[in-house]
Amino acid sequence: MSDEKRDTQEGELVSPATRPAQVAREDSTHPALHPSITSVPVTPGVHLSGHSAYIEPENSPQDAGLPFDDSRTISGPQWSANSYFAPKDQARSSSPTEAAAGARTGEELLRRLSLVGDPTAKRDFVDLDPRAAHPGLNLSGGVISVTFCVPYHIGFSPGLDWELKSRRGTSALFDSFSYLASAASPWNHTLIGWTGEIRELPGARPTSSASLNSLTNVSQTNKASAPIPVDGTSKPPQPMQSEGLKVDRADRQRLERQLERDHGGRIVPVWLTNEIDDDQDVAIIKDQSRWRRFAEHELYTLFHYKQNEPADGRAARRSWADYERMNRLFADRILEIYKPGDIIVIHDYYLLLLPSLLRQRLPNVYIGFFLHVPFPSSEFYRCLSRRKEILEGVLGANMVGFQSYSYSRHFSSCCTRILGFDSSSAGVDAYGAHVAVDVFPIGINAASTHQQAFGDPLIEEKINGIRELYAGKKIIVGRDRLDSVRGVAQKLQAFEMFLERYPEWHDKVVLIQVTSPSHLQEDQEDADNRFVNKIADLVARINGAFGSLSFAPVQHFPQYLSREEYFALLRVADVGLITSVRDGMNTTSLEYVICQKGNYGPLILSEFSGTAGSLGSAIHINPWDLGGVADAIAQALTMPLEERKEQHDKLYKHVVANNVQAWTNNFLKRLMTNLSSFDQSFATPALDRAKLLYQYRQAKKRLFMFDYDGTLTPIVKDPQAAIPSDRVIRTLKTLASDPSNSVWIISGRDQAFLDEWMGHISELGLSAEHGSFMRYPRSEEWENLTEKTDMSWQSEVMNVFQHYTERTQGSFIERKKIALTWHYRRADPEYGAFQARECQKHLENTVAKDWDVEVMTGKANLEVRPRFVNKGEIAKRLIQAYGDKLGEPPEFVLCLGDDFTDEDMFRSLRQSKLPQDHVFSVTVGASSKQTLASWHLLEPSDVISVVSLLNGSADGGNIGAVAVVEGSVPESRL
């Protein structure tokens, strides 16, 4: 279809009076959301022929004095709308001499030289060969970018080539992928993303007469199809339930070949299927939108400081299970193509669990994560039901990037307040490693945007048409999505106040507001309609109060714009107005700056936009302060030319310099620097509950070893107050009642305490004082493993402990049968720790040299015990009791502890001959300590949750693991 025909069908930017009447609606959707209104792209799309979606190949760009040479900008893979880098086989200058050859002017020479880096500079050395710049990382040279969806809407017809149409939105992100896949990048790039909702193309399957009748009946009962009467006493016929799409292996492979063959950079699709028919190897795909629900309904909503109405939780459980399953399917797909040394870069809130899932399977993998939307403050983030799991998922990355400093600060604060990890402006210390946190404001493809905005004669025609239509009037332009966080309502209210305060501007200014539909599922249709109605009411009120028969001060277009109209609007505007109440990176503001080259229209920008921190020369406003916004509009409209030019020059230089290529390079460079600076080899990933549950169900002989304090119960100031809760008792009793399970509590506590609180569970095995005493299951007798040991050293230790107790207020001595412990939990923390260090030195220089004992530091305590007594010996004894012959050792071992005394158990398990997949050694606590354990849990409540999972409970934290193992979500909320 030609541009002229498209513009005729899809609407021009003309006054409402001259627009054709809307056709009658065929469904109950709000008129502003009707496909006939929303079918024209408003932002860069993807041209199917591989060229720019904005400019046809025959159009030639015009020179506008850019600091780069448009004629030398080179394109990347064909799937990128805004690509400007060369294909791999295109020759390009390799030296300044070659680049300078043929330059006609000094300005052209400078521009050409700016495109060739100085090979002696360290920065350019990294750009040219990152592997040589960071030899210690053993990089492969590959980058795997992971995003939620591939850059296409995909259509399917069995046995035929797949239909690929450009996907709107996130053009800056797709430009980044285009650069990485181009010759200008030193990386070998692979893009991984979900196929998105696959459309079944018309004619793909024969339509039965029954389904035709059903569709006919449904359309007749539509409330918009009056005057046909509707019988309110009977239910309207329901459309037939779809059997889903059935995609066989040949079709799946065809799409993968098609993506790689026809579109330059390598794209690997992720197949999110309901089930796989193993007999025929057919993927069955139903309810495809389910994979979006948790991200768009829960995360997007809360990250933008909004909350959903309360519900019974069943839908949230299902959507959370789908979210975890989706992230696991992404992880599976990545592992299929991953090579050691690859860098994996994960994008946005759909994949927040993916870093941790990859870390669980590849402990030394290099992962960067970037969040493109805001991250809320801890006070708001705490409202998220799965708040811990989300943070733990992100902390599997080596570096986390955000759009602005406030978002990064909020993230670090949440990690400290919710997870208990130490954090600073540089990052978070978690799981034995340092996770860097940094700020990377994303840019746009400035060269391509300029070329598209200034290189099309049709845009010039549109500009002349708009100026003629609004002759003699200042034009304010706003373009936002149909989303309450975009601040459209606040913008209209502020504009109304501006007209009230500044009557001299009546009939002299027009606000052109374009509102394109949202692609999110965050709100129900009714909520969308209410918001649309609110906008329509505001527009009508303003036009009624300040307009006339010949002129309306607000021109509202609830639709997508053609690319010509979009760029024409940005170029013709006298003021750009962005009033987001919460936003990530608003690329419209960056495109506006490029389009205002030569016009110098001021930019009014919300301080709550992620762009605000980068565009310091814009006029910043608080969108909730309507009076302040009104005054800013007046200021922008009356700003002198010199001031406008000065502001625009600063903005323009920033946007050009900080383009999407620079953003991509900076992110990867900073990631490699952090990887080289911090030893990541000791990181301990969060426990993989799905793997744990699967192995537990496969095993017939299982061994459990639990520490007590800090593992089954929280650490408290008074050790005698650390009594197990009723839930702990019930959970352990249920676990131990399974005849296949051997459950042991291996604690530093004495016999009396364990007998009092755990002794009534006859199926439990107990070990007291770090392995000095043992009580076997179904026995009441304690075995003393140290009865032949000389205990004369205790009197010397008591004298030393007594000396420090008298000098440390709040400290006390606990005398056990074998060990002696000095506690300082009740003392001043700093002074207590200082006295503990002094006491430890004293003991190590005296008693420890004369006797075979060791001085151990615990959580706010010092303990002295015989050297041969430790939890590791008990763990070794319990494993050996099964035997070493084939089929005798336990098939599942779960060992949990929280402090360094439990490291003896972890060490024994590492030294055992048990298969690694059968052993789960788990350290508990928010400490960033380095450990011999293989997994990490945050706190004692997580331990009980994990044991409950093995007992058959599917609480909120376990529902995802159950769904992964069983393939379905239990309806029970217990």
Side-chain angles (χ1 to χ4, degrees), residues 731-898:
T731 302
L732 290 176
K733 188 173 181 64
T734 302
L735 184 69
S737 64
D738 188 329
S740 298
N741 297 342
S742 175
V743 184
W744 283 79
I745 308 297
I746 303 176
S747 173
R749 294 284 187 161
D750 59 21
Q751 299 160 269
F753 183 91
L754 294 180
D755 263 334
E756 179 180 1
W757 296 108
M758 297 290 185
H760 63 285
I761 307 177
S762 60
E763 299 89 349
L764 273 183
L766 302 175
S767 174
E769 299 192 30
H770 301 290
S772 300
F773 300 90
M774 293 182 69
R775 197 198 81 170
Y776 286 87
R778 298 177 180 82
S779 170
E780 295 184 359
E781 300 297 324
W782 285 89
E783 177 184 349
N784 186 353
L785 304 182
T786 63
E787 57 185 351
K788 297 181 180 179
T789 303
D790 185 358
M791 307 299 292
S792 302
W793 55 269
Q794 287 189 335
S795 59
E796 296 185 33
V797 173
M798 279 295 296
N799 291 334
V800 175
F801 279 171
Q802 189 63 42
H803 173 82
Y804 284 90
T805 301
E806 293 171 356
R807 290 160 177 78
T808 309
Q809 185 176 0
S811 65
F812 61 95
I813 303 170
E814 180 184 6
R815 182 160 193 167
K816 305 172 185 177
K817 289 186 177 181
I818 301 298
L820 293 174
T821 307
W822 182 66
H823 295 276
Y824 57 94
R825 295 180 189 176
R826 301 174 186 170
D828 177 82
E830 293 185 5
Y831 185 67
F834 169 77
Q835 288 290 78
R837 290 192 295 269
E838 295 298 312
C839 182
Q840 181 181 0
K841 291 178 185 177
H842 190 161
L843 291 169
E844 289 174 345
N845 291 328
T846 55
V847 181
K849 290 184 176 181
D850 298 333
W851 301 89
D852 189 22
V853 296
E854 61 179 335
V855 183
M856 302 170 57
T857 58
K859 291 186 175 179
N861 67 64
L862 279 179
E863 182 165 290
V864 183
R865 68 182 187 190
R867 192 174 297 277
F868 70 90
V869 174
N870 62 66
K871 295 181 179 182
E873 293 298 320
I874 298 300
K876 189 183 302 180
R877 176 185 289 235
L878 293 176
I879 293 173
Q880 291 174 346
Y882 280 89
D884 295 328
K885 296 180 181 179
L886 184 64
E888 290 181 344
E891 299 164 329
F892 175 91
V893 177
L894 177 59
C895 177
L896 299 104
D898 71 308

Side-chain angles (χ1 to χ4, degrees), residues 143-147 176-177 180 189-193 343-347:
V143 169
I144 300 175
S145 294
V146 191
T147 188
S176 171
F177 301 152
L180 285 171
H189 183 249
T190 300
L191 174 63
I192 294 182
I343 292 178
I344 301 175
V345 181
I346 302 168
H347 293 273

Side-chain angles (χ1 to χ4, degrees), residues 83 172 179 245 296 361 379 523 534 570 592 657 696 846 922:
S83 55
Y179 162 64
L245 294 178
E296 296 183 357
R361 305 190 202 184
E379 291 301 312
D523 296 316
K534 179 178 181 180
L570 295 187
Y592 175 80
Y696 176 84
T846 55
V922 185

